[in-house]
Amino acid sequence: MSPKESQLLNEVLENTQLQHQPFVVIRDQSWFPAKPILRELVRRAVARGETPTLVSTLNPIEDLVPCGMPVGRIKTLDLSGEVAGYSALGPFSETKERIVSSYKGGQMFIDAIDVLAEDYTASSVICLVRELLTSVKAHKSPSRLVLLLSEGSLLSHLISPTFSTTLTLLTPHSSALLTHLSKLYLSPISENPSPNYWMVLENAVKRQTGKELALRGEEDVEFGWAKGEVVVIQVLVRKATGGMKGTSRSLEALTPTSLPGALVVCPLSSILDLTPFSLPQSSSVLGTTEPTHASLDLPFNLALTDKQKQKRDQVPLPYAHEGEGASGDLIWIDEEETDDEEI
């Protein structure tokens, strides 16, 4: 992993990316919430002397403010109490005006803006985000818009290059989930992930693999961030140049510090085994080494574990014992062959 890529997450947290990224999306999963990342971004912004703007549409402001930090150091707009059908929720134009007018520069954090898409329409919320992003770009660095979004259609629209050419996408993962996926697909974990392993992670998010494992209590995957747990952050940075050169990816770890609620970046190799499976032995033929499954880094697994082999042996096969136990003499009858009469 190059030194430049190893600093991706730290540059995002400190808002010191060389090519300023005005648009940051934190992917919030129902089984693994990303609110600690939002709190860390707010905490570091205040520590640098900034006065960020925090808009809440789902969670109370107190749940989004870092532990021990006075709310007065942050400009806040609490919309969490305004729920359609339960309060006098005005037209979207009024809500939009309140959000837009609350921003006066610097960093703006919005929690669960997809809730507004449920109360109103997705297209109106997309227009709101586009207007906010235009205002953020007008204020230049260190101004940026940070959204906490759950998986859904709104997220797919907002992270599309057609909406914004620049993007920083953060996705938290349980370290146990990464270990499980590495064993399952025989793909090594790396701070600079291969395209195949990156695709495995993306598919795991879409299929909610972590949620299913947590529900079944398998592979040591649990719901949420346990106290003192070290988590892995999947970082994607897309620059305006586009293409492979304009996209950077990394897997980095966040670990708690002695300061309550604070997080710090640490090497991925310090929290988990990057190769949690045993590599098969390769044979040499005519002085060349035969490629192994692990070296090919395939996105699928052809090998079977002992548990899988045991389950396979227990599957009843049709016609496996056909003909066994037959008794009695077999009688063969030869039909008489009759010659065709010539006419």
Side-chain angles (χ1 to χ4, degrees):
M1 185 176 184
S2 64
K4 181 179 179 181
E5 290 175 331
S6 63
Q7 300 174 1
L8 279 181
L9 181 57
N10 200 53
E11 290 177 352
V12 174
L13 296 177
E14 293 292 343
N15 197 10
T16 57
Q17 294 167 282
L18 293 179
Q19 186 175 348
H20 182 61
Q21 299 290 313
F23 189 40
V24 179
V25 175
I26 307 174
R27 188 150 47 185
D28 189 37
Q29 304 176 77
S30 59
W31 74 278
F32 207 75
K35 284 190 294 184
I37 302 178
L38 182 67
R39 295 193 197 102
E40 180 63 18
L41 289 171
V42 174
R43 185 191 69 82
R44 296 197 182 200
V46 174
R48 293 191 297 267
E50 302 177 19
T51 305
T53 302
L54 179 59
V55 180
S56 173
T57 61
L58 178 63
N59 299 285
I61 290 292
E62 294 75 15
D63 291 349
L64 303 176
V65 175
C67 181
M69 178 176 293
V71 181
R73 302 187 64 179
I74 306 171
K75 293 185 294 184
T76 61
L77 176 60
D78 193 354
L79 302 176
S80 59
E82 301 182 10
V83 183
Y86 293 90
S87 60
L89 189 65
F92 182 75
S93 57
E94 295 181 3
T95 304
K96 178 181 178 181
E97 178 61 26
R98 293 175 62 186
I99 296 176
V100 174
S101 61
S102 66
Y103 179 69
K104 304 299 181 182
Q107 296 192 74
M108 186 175 196
F109 301 89
I110 304 181
D111 161 52
I113 198 173
D114 47 304
V115 173
L116 293 179
E118 297 176 0
D119 294 339
Y120 299 101
T121 61
S123 59
S124 58
V125 173
I126 292 175
C127 293
L128 167 63
V129 176
R130 183 177 286 111
E131 183 174 343
L132 288 173
L133 192 56
T134 302
S135 179
V136 166
K137 291 179 180 178
H139 286 84
K140 299 183 179 181
S141 178
S143 300
R144 66 178 177 180
L145 177 63
V146 181
L147 302 180
L148 185 68
L149 277 173
S150 59
E151 196 72 27
S153 58
L154 184 62
L155 174 65
S156 60
H157 279 92
L158 294 181
I159 65 176
S160 171
T162 57
F163 179 81
S164 175
T165 55
T166 60
L167 172 71
T168 298
L169 179 63
L170 305 179
T171 307
H173 293 289
S174 167
S175 57
L177 175 62
L178 265 71
T179 301
H180 167 70
L181 294 175
S182 178
K183 292 179 180 179
L184 185 63
Y185 293 95
L186 295 182
S187 182
I189 306 172
S190 173
E191 294 178 336
N192 184 19
S194 64
N196 286 333
Y197 192 71
W198 188 271
M199 182 180 65
V200 168
L201 286 176
E202 288 295 317
N203 290 335
V205 173
K206 295 177 182 177
R207 298 168 183 169
Q208 297 187 344
T209 304
K211 181 179 180 180
E212 294 180 2
L213 293 174
L215 286 172
R216 295 197 298 262
E218 298 178 356
E219 304 297 335
D220 297 327
V221 179
E222 299 179 355
F223 283 97
W225 293 32
K227 186 176 181 180
E229 180 184 4
V230 182
V231 298
V232 180
I233 308 299
Q234 182 182 356
V235 185
L236 170 67
V237 177
R238 186 178 67 215
K239 299 180 181 179
T241 53
M244 293 297 295
K245 294 183 178 180
T247 304
S248 301
R249 299 180 176 92
S250 71
L251 289 175
E252 303 180 53
L254 278 179
T255 181
T257 64
S258 57
L259 186 65
L263 302 171
V264 65
V265 181
C266 66
L268 191 63
S269 57
S270 64
I271 66 167
L272 49 79
D273 184 6
L274 300 183
T275 311
F277 53 89
S278 57
L279 296 174
Q281 299 294 330
S282 60
S283 59
S284 299
V285 180
L286 298 178
T288 60
T289 304
E290 182 181 355
T292 62
H293 185 95
S295 63
L296 292 176
D297 194 20
L298 300 175
F300 52 85
N301 184 7
L302 295 176
L304 294 177
T305 62
D306 294 337
K307 186 177 181 180
Q308 290 172 335
K309 291 179 181 179
Q310 184 180 4
K311 290 183 178 180
R312 181 191 62 182
D313 295 338
Q314 295 175 355
V315 176
L317 299 178
Y319 312 111
H321 305 285
E322 184 180 9
E324 295 183 3
S327 60
D329 297 330
L330 298 178
I331 302 175
W332 298 89
I333 300 177
D334 294 331
E335 298 182 358
E336 296 181 359
E337 297 181 359
T338 57
D339 297 331
D340 295 335
E341 296 181 358
E342 296 182 359
I343 300 177

